Amino acid sequence: MVKGRAFAAAMLAVAVAAAGCSSGGDGDGGGKGGGGGGGKSDAKLAITPATGTKQVAPDQPVTVKADKGKLTEVTVADAKGHKAEGALAADGLSWKSRWTLRPATTYTVTAKGTDDGKPVTATSTFTTLTPRKKLESGMAPLEGEKVGVGMPVQLLLTQPVTGKEARAAVERSLVVRMSKPVEGAWHWISDKEVDFRPRVYWPAGSKVQVVAHLAGVKAGNGTYGVKDRTLNFTVGAKHYTKINAKTHKATVTDGGETVRTMKVSLGKPGDDSYTGVMIAQEKLSHMVMDSSTTGNPGEYRTPTDWNVRMTYSGTFVHSAPWSTGSQGSANVSHGCVNAAPSDAKWFYNFTQRGDVIEVTGTTRKLRFGNGPTPWAISWDEWLKGSALGAPVTGQPLT
């Protein structure tokens, strides 16, 4: 007898859940509207999720469907007035939300339509679930920063995102807008970082906006994004520096024109500098170079000025007054690019984060992932790192 009651209760719960997506009377996920002249319309607007629904998955779309007539307006808003974007179908019979919803939030849906000139309305109020784990994010470059043409967009996450489906959901939430649209793609650097780079380089002088619609994105079992994020930055002039370890010379160009040639000294045998296309990752006017950070404690601990970082592992262009006698003729450094104090200071002031620095003539190849190194691999290899496996053409930025 107990089993029979349990079974009946389960069937009732299933029936109630199923009924929750269908239209009903006002305040029940659907509604009818009255009009003048010809009496009331019998058109119905069905809203999903139905009113009163709790624990709604934030990645479940909000939909409104009219059985006849046309929808004219749909708003989905929380108590603070934040509205969910969405679009009407071409035939006017349905509406669907564009992005995922905020977790742990109560929304009210208000739908309006007409049928034979008579107004039809419906409302629904529901609440999204509270995630077990929250996915927060950070982005680079910095808001409002001017960067070089080689700077990638870095989206950094607080929780690991694994599996193609979860990564694809994150990528679909990302929008890149450009004043000069070009083709690019996202690439997963790790479980907690996905980067965007153009196919070639950013056009000089362009403006870029990245919008991460992460609130409500399901990034794993019980893990949801909790906040959207927007980043705006500009791209400066095209600075490109070529450093040749065999000629011991650095040629600096601005927009294709050579603006300075510097004598340099790169890594000595056994401490070879990296060959590859890097970017200026950060600038430090003064720092202490300590060999313990590279696994060789006690070898050196040297104060340096006018440092431009090229790798996470510690490759810099910097001032080296102690090696001016070798600059232009021999490689004597521990892997960095040594320059005369006047050249190093000029280069430091000239350089933007994201400027391209290409080193050639060594036997040690740059390792992808040694800092933001989007140009260390080919476009085809970069594209393989996208969960969606497809390039993105930037949307116009107006």
Side-chain angles (χ1 to χ4, degrees):
M1 187 64 180
V2 173
K3 290 183 178 179
R5 289 178 180 173
F7 178 80
M11 291 301 98
L12 177 59
V14 170
V16 169
C21 290
S22 63
S23 64
D26 287 337
D28 214 356
K32 300 179 181 181
K40 293 184 178 180
S41 167
D42 60 354
K44 294 181 180 180
L45 305 182
I47 301 175
T48 303
T51 196
T53 308
K54 308 291 184 182
Q55 297 296 309
V56 173
D59 55 338
Q60 175 185 333
V62 177
T63 63
V64 182
K65 296 180 180 179
D67 62 348
K68 61 180 181 174
K70 283 193 174 183
L71 288 166
T72 57
E73 182 184 351
V74 176
T75 59
V76 181
D78 64 15
K80 295 181 179 179
H82 298 126
K83 294 182 179 180
E85 294 180 39
L88 281 169
D91 61 8
L93 289 173
S94 64
W95 183 96
K96 185 177 180 180
S97 55
R98 173 68 179 88
W99 305 106
T100 50
L101 304 174
R102 296 168 183 254
T105 302
T106 298
Y107 285 92
T108 296
V109 185
T110 304
K112 298 179 180 179
T114 60
D115 173 40
D116 232 4
K118 304 178 184 68
V120 186
T121 62
T123 62
S124 175
T125 299
F126 63 89
T127 303
T128 54
L129 61 78
T130 299
R132 291 201 299 272
K133 291 183 180 179
K134 297 179 180 180
L135 180 71
E136 304 275 6
S137 66
M139 294 180 80
L142 301 176
E143 176 66 22
E145 186 177 3
K146 180 184 285 187
V147 300
V149 298
M151 187 73 183
V153 175
Q154 296 173 277
L155 177 64
L156 308 172
L157 305 168
T158 57
Q159 299 288 344
V161 179
T162 59
K164 189 172 182 179
E165 184 177 344
R167 289 185 171 187
V170 170
E171 284 186 46
R172 280 192 292 267
S173 77
L174 307 175
V175 177
V176 185
R177 300 188 178 104
M178 312 172 194
S179 61
K180 301 177 183 179
V182 295
E183 186 179 57
W186 293 95
H187 181 106
W188 286 86
I189 307 299
S190 70
D191 290 346
K192 292 186 176 183
E193 180 181 349
V194 58
D195 290 4
F196 181 91
R197 58 157 266 200
R199 184 168 187 160
V200 185
Y201 293 119
W202 297 107
S206 59
K207 297 179 180 180
V208 182
Q209 181 184 76
V210 184
V211 183
H213 296 274
L214 289 170
V217 170
K218 187 176 183 180
N221 187 23
T223 302
Y224 288 89
V226 294
K227 185 179 180 181
D228 294 340
R229 186 174 291 275
T230 300
L231 167 68
N232 296 277
F233 64 93
T234 59
V235 181
K238 184 179 181 179
H239 295 170
Y240 201 110
T241 299
K242 291 186 176 181
I243 301 173
N244 191 315
K246 293 182 177 179
T247 63
H248 317 289
K249 183 173 71 174
T251 303
V252 186
T253 63
D254 184 351
E257 298 293 327
T258 299
V259 293
R260 198 174 185 97
T261 300
M262 306 185 301
K263 295 179 180 180
V264 294
S265 177
L266 281 75
K268 64 183 184 292
D271 286 320
D272 302 80
S273 302
Y274 290 106
T275 279
V277 180
M278 291 160 262
I279 64 169
Q281 297 178 8
E282 69 170 336
K283 301 197 302 180
L284 299 163
S285 60
H286 180 81
M287 66 178 294
V288 176
M289 298 282 184
D290 192 332
S291 62
S292 63
T293 62
T294 62
N296 299 294
E299 187 174 350
Y300 61 85
R301 195 172 189 277
T302 308
T304 57
D305 296 323
W306 314 121
N307 303 276
V308 177
R309 181 187 288 272
M310 296 163 14
T311 67
Y312 279 165
S313 60
T315 306
F316 293 82
V317 177
H318 65 79
S319 173
W322 58 85
S323 71
T324 53
S326 298
Q327 292 163 19
S329 59
N331 294 322
V332 298
S333 82
H334 290 95
C336 287
V337 178
N338 289 356
S342 59
D343 282 337
K345 183 177 181 179
W346 176 89
F347 188 71
Y348 177 92
N349 290 328
F350 173 80
T351 299
Q352 311 161 120
R353 277 210 319 147
D355 283 353
V356 182
I357 304 172
E358 180 181 3
V359 177
T360 60
T362 78
T363 58
R364 192 181 185 193
K365 186 178 179 181
L366 173 67
R367 177 180 58 81
F368 177 68
N370 191 356
T373 51
W375 312 104
I377 58 177
S378 70
W379 170 250
D380 288 342
E381 290 175 299
W382 182 266
L383 201 54
K384 290 177 183 177
S386 165
L388 297 176
V392 174
T393 298
Q395 297 181 11
L397 177 61
T398 56

